[in-house]
Amino acid sequence: MTLSFNSVKSEAAEILSEIQARSFDQNSEQAWSAAAIADLLHSPGTAAVVVLDDSDPAGFLLSRRAGPEAEILSVCVLPAYRRKAIGHQVIRHFQAEAKRIGIREIFLEVAEYNNAALALYGKNNFEIVGRRRHYYGNRGERKQDALIMKYRVK
Ligand SMILES: CC(C)(COP(=O)(O)OP(=O)(O)OC[C@H]1O[C@@H](n2cnc3c(N)ncnc32)[C@H](O)[C@@H]1OP(=O)(O)O)[C@@H](O)C(=O)NCCC(=O)NCCS
């Protein structure tokens, strides 16, 4: 496996949307349309990194910067590529980039029962700093709180 981390713009919205749809459960409200992702990537401070295995997409990380803070909006790894430290590496890549450009804190939201993501973020030194009650599950899924996590850039 030869991984590379590639910054992409709104032209990649279609592929990001496809990776996301294949990464989340089908009915998940976390799968965004290509148009919604393209809109996001046109807005200031938003950035995306696609992880390629040779030339095959394996996952991505979508983020937004606002001054000294950044937010991870979405991180996904395709099922066939899981548990190979790709999620870990793309987050570390983003943490290093955040440090390089002077970001102090990185925030994210994660569903309370998303054990894989919680373990991944914990391993990368994110701490739980808040909770939004019943934030996920408006489409008839089980309602879940969102946990807000923060990483202090060091
Ligand atoms: C969460 C996700 C990005 C993890 O990607 P990944 O590349 O498989 O993660 P990694 O291989 O880098 O795992 C790093 C660590 O996270 C934890 N982890 C990852 N997947 C896990 C799982 N299914 N169960 C428990 N812990 C898990 C482990 O601590 C793991 O370290 P280890 O393999 O040494 O035990 C991936 O499962 C995914 O895309 N899920 C669907 C989308 C999603 O929920 N995104 C996050 C919310 S936006």
Side-chain angles (χ1 to χ4, degrees):
M1 201 165 62
T2 311
L3 298 180
S4 62
F5 299 87
N6 306 271
S7 293
V8 293
K9 304 248 181 263
S10 56
E11 295 75 43
E14 198 79 49
I15 183 74
L16 298 186
S17 173
E18 192 187 322
I19 295 171
Q20 198 180 48
R22 287 166 59 197
S23 296
F24 281 100
D25 294 341
Q26 254 183 351
N27 296 321
S28 170
E29 61 201 71
Q30 297 202 31
W32 302 332
S33 68
I37 293 177
D39 274 356
L40 263 179
L41 287 170
H42 280 129
S43 61
T46 310
V49 169
V50 171
V51 183
L52 296 179
D53 172 24
D54 290 323
S55 55
D56 296 332
F60 74 83
L61 186 151
L62 187 60
S63 64
R64 177 165 51 208
R65 178 186 188 169
E69 293 180 6
E71 186 182 2
I72 294 178
L73 300 174
S74 186
V75 54
C76 297
V77 173
L78 288 173
Y81 285 95
R82 297 221 176 128
R83 296 313 283 266
K84 297 176 194 293
I86 293 177
H88 182 60
Q89 288 185 63
V90 76
I91 287 177
R92 287 196 45 184
H93 176 86
F94 182 64
Q95 289 169 327
E97 176 65 7
K99 181 172 182 173
R100 192 182 71 76
I101 63 176
I103 286 168
R104 303 263 176 79
E105 292 175 326
I106 303 171
F107 291 86
L108 59 82
E109 273 161 13
V110 55
E112 61 179 329
Y113 302 126
N114 190 341
N115 294 330
L118 279 167
L120 171 68
Y121 299 141
K123 192 169 180 170
N124 286 284
N125 302 112
F126 280 81
E127 291 173 350
I128 296 169
V129 294
R131 176 183 288 268
R132 295 205 171 111
R133 296 271 296 153
H134 295 168
Y135 187 76
Y136 299 106
N138 292 327
R139 291 190 194 163
E141 304 160 44
R142 170 165 69 155
K143 288 216 186 311
Q144 293 192 56
D145 292 354
L147 300 176
I148 300 163
M149 301 186 85
K150 179 173 93 170
Y151 169 80
R152 191 177 296 280
V153 178
K154 335 179 228 299

